[in-house]
């Protein structure tokens, strides 16, 4: 039944391979579990904020990924988007002094607009009107942006008042990142299955063994891995104060129409470029550049944003890092 529904054998794949691909995708995007709460925590101030935001980030990612996998039948993972969460926290809540509950309402409304336009076929028509070269350019631009973020977070590049960016000092974070990247590149060139997983594991082991200061502590300072002081696992905190806290009445007010519009436009091009880029790399696009099952796929993207807003996080969208675990495949039409 699974084989027929998802077209696993038709894609030349198998369930074990799909499980490895899912693990790879998770590892390449799991950083969002920690980064998203840090970003949103600057604007959403509640007791136990980080732990609760981590839980809703995981729940939003799970709900969006299940929608995309089970309903749209594409191996594209979803989670609260980087960049959109920064706009939510720093521009809308902190910059414009809009309550975070109202901002969540704006995210919900923008997601609802996505669903309506997707089901009506408007979103697909707009996508078809965009030249294929521009579609792929959007995906390439997102990739370059993510690569730049990775180099910035690793300290490979740092801010410079004269040239905006410059090379950073080759300290432990940079060396560990470069080591992991080299391992990944070598294995990819040699076409080793699971190259990205091995690269991540290699960098992690190297950081632990060498006692490299790459892990941020509670104060934000980089320290060496100190073990699991509170155990490996712990029961999750129920995200009270976040789930269902969105303020739709306030979001409908004319004062934040521009906010809803910005969430809508930014996520439109972000999701469109990412979905088209992932579909092209995985071999899903038709020769004309169309995405099969586009209506339900785009609708799932909008539903994920709505669910994320109800849970208490900024816009949930498709992740370009899902390419790490994707492979040329074709689910039945």
């Amino acid at each position: 039944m699974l084989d027929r529904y998802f077209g696993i054998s038709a894609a030349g794949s198998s369930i074990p391979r799909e499980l490895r691909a899912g693990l790879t995708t998770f590892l390449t995007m799991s950083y969002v579990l920690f980064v998203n709460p840090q970003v949103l925590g600057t604007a959403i101030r509640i007791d136990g904020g980080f732990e609760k935001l981590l839980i809703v980030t995981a729940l939003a990612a799970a709900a969006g990924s299940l929608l995309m996998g089970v309903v749209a039948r594409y191996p594209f993972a979803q989670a609260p988007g980087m960049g959109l969460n920064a706009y939510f926290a720093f521009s809308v809540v902190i910059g414009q002094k809009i309550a975070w509950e109202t901002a969540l309402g704006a995210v919900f409304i923008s997601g609802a607009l996505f669903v309506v336009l997707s089901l009506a076929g408007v979103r697909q028509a707009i996508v078809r009107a965009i030249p294929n070269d521009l579609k792929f350019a959007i995906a390439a631009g997102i990739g370059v942006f993510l690569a730049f973020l990775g180099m910035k977070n690793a300290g490979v590049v740092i801010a410079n008042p004269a040239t905006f960016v410059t090379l950073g000092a080759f300290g432990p974070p940079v060396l560990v990142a470069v080591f992991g990247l080299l391992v990944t590149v070598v294995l990819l060139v040699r076409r080793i299955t699971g190259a990205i997983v091995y690269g991540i594991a290699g960098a992690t082991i190297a950081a632990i063994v060498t006692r490299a200061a790459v892990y941020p502590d509670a104060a934000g300072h980089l320290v060496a891995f100190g073990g699991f002081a509170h155990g490996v696992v712990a029961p999750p905190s129920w995200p009270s104060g976040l789930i269902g806290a969105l303020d739709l009445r306030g979001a409908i007010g004319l004062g934040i129409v521009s906010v809803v519009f910005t969430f809508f436009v930014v996520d439109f091009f972000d999701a469109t470029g990412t979905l088209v880029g992932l579909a092209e790399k995985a071999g899903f696009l038709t020769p004309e550049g169309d995405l099969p099952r586009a209506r339900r796929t785009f609708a799932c993207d909008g539903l994920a944003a709505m669910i994320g807003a109800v849970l208490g996080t900024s816009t949930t969208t498709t992740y370009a890092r899902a390419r790490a675990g994707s492979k040329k495949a074709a689910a039945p039409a």
Side-chain angles (χ1 to χ4, degrees):
M1 182 182 66
L2 286 174
D3 197 351
R4 289 195 304 271
Y5 186 76
F6 293 107
I8 296 174
S9 296
S13 185
S14 63
I15 290 180
R17 175 175 287 183
E18 295 302 312
L19 292 174
R20 291 195 299 270
L23 175 62
T24 302
T25 298
F26 170 77
L27 290 176
T28 57
M29 60 183 288
S30 58
Y31 71 93
V32 71
L33 292 171
F34 307 99
V35 176
N36 191 56
Q38 289 177 347
V39 174
L40 294 183
T42 61
I44 300 178
R45 302 301 183 97
I46 58 174
D47 292 336
F50 183 88
E51 291 79 6
K52 292 179 179 180
L53 285 168
L54 187 150
I55 295 299
V56 299
T57 298
L59 291 175
S65 298
L66 283 172
L67 278 173
M68 191 61 70
V70 176
V71 179
R73 288 180 289 168
Y74 282 122
F76 303 155
Q78 296 204 324
M82 298 295 102
L84 287 166
N85 57 1
Y87 173 74
F88 176 99
F90 301 116
S91 296
V92 177
V93 178
I94 296 176
Q96 300 184 36
K97 309 298 182 185
I98 293 175
W100 61 266
E101 297 91 342
T102 305
L104 287 175
V107 172
F108 183 92
I109 294 172
S110 68
L113 290 175
F114 270 129
V115 174
V116 172
L117 293 179
S118 299
L119 294 178
V122 176
R123 194 174 176 186
Q124 298 88 297
I126 295 175
V127 172
R128 292 193 191 99
I130 301 175
N132 286 339
D133 290 343
L134 182 56
K135 293 177 187 176
F136 301 144
I138 294 173
I142 294 172
V144 172
F145 173 67
L146 294 175
F148 177 79
L149 284 181
M151 290 190 292
K152 176 182 178 297
N153 290 335
V156 178
V157 295
I158 59 175
N160 184 282
T163 60
F164 293 103
V165 294
T166 188
L167 283 175
F170 273 74
V174 174
L175 294 175
V176 170
V178 171
F179 172 76
L181 182 62
L182 287 176
V183 171
T184 302
V185 169
V186 170
L187 295 180
L188 283 174
V189 170
R190 297 179 65 86
R191 300 183 181 278
I192 302 297
T193 303
I196 296 177
V197 174
Y198 296 143
I200 295 172
T204 303
I205 294 172
I208 294 174
V209 171
T210 61
R211 303 289 296 168
V214 298
Y215 296 97
D217 60 11
H221 304 298
L222 294 179
V223 297
F225 179 69
F228 300 100
H230 304 289
V232 179
V233 297
S237 302
W238 177 252
S240 57
L242 277 176
I243 293 183
L246 72 168
D247 181 10
L248 289 175
R249 180 175 299 179
I252 295 174
L254 295 178
I256 65 166
V257 169
S258 61
V259 176
V260 175
F261 181 75
T262 302
F263 276 128
F264 177 82
V265 171
V266 172
D267 189 33
F268 178 88
F269 285 102
D270 187 341
T272 299
T274 301
L275 283 170
V276 172
L278 288 172
E280 190 275 332
K281 290 296 183 182
F284 291 121
L285 291 186
T286 65
E288 294 76 25
D290 292 331
L291 178 65
R293 306 185 300 281
R295 183 170 300 190
R296 73 175 75 169
T297 302
F298 287 130
C300 287
D301 190 69
L303 283 172
M306 295 172 66
I307 293 172
V310 172
L311 290 172
T313 184
S314 55
T315 307
T316 302
T317 187
T318 305
Y319 259 48
R321 269 72 79 203
R323 173 67 183 95
S326 65
K327 171 188 177 293
K328 185 172 182 179

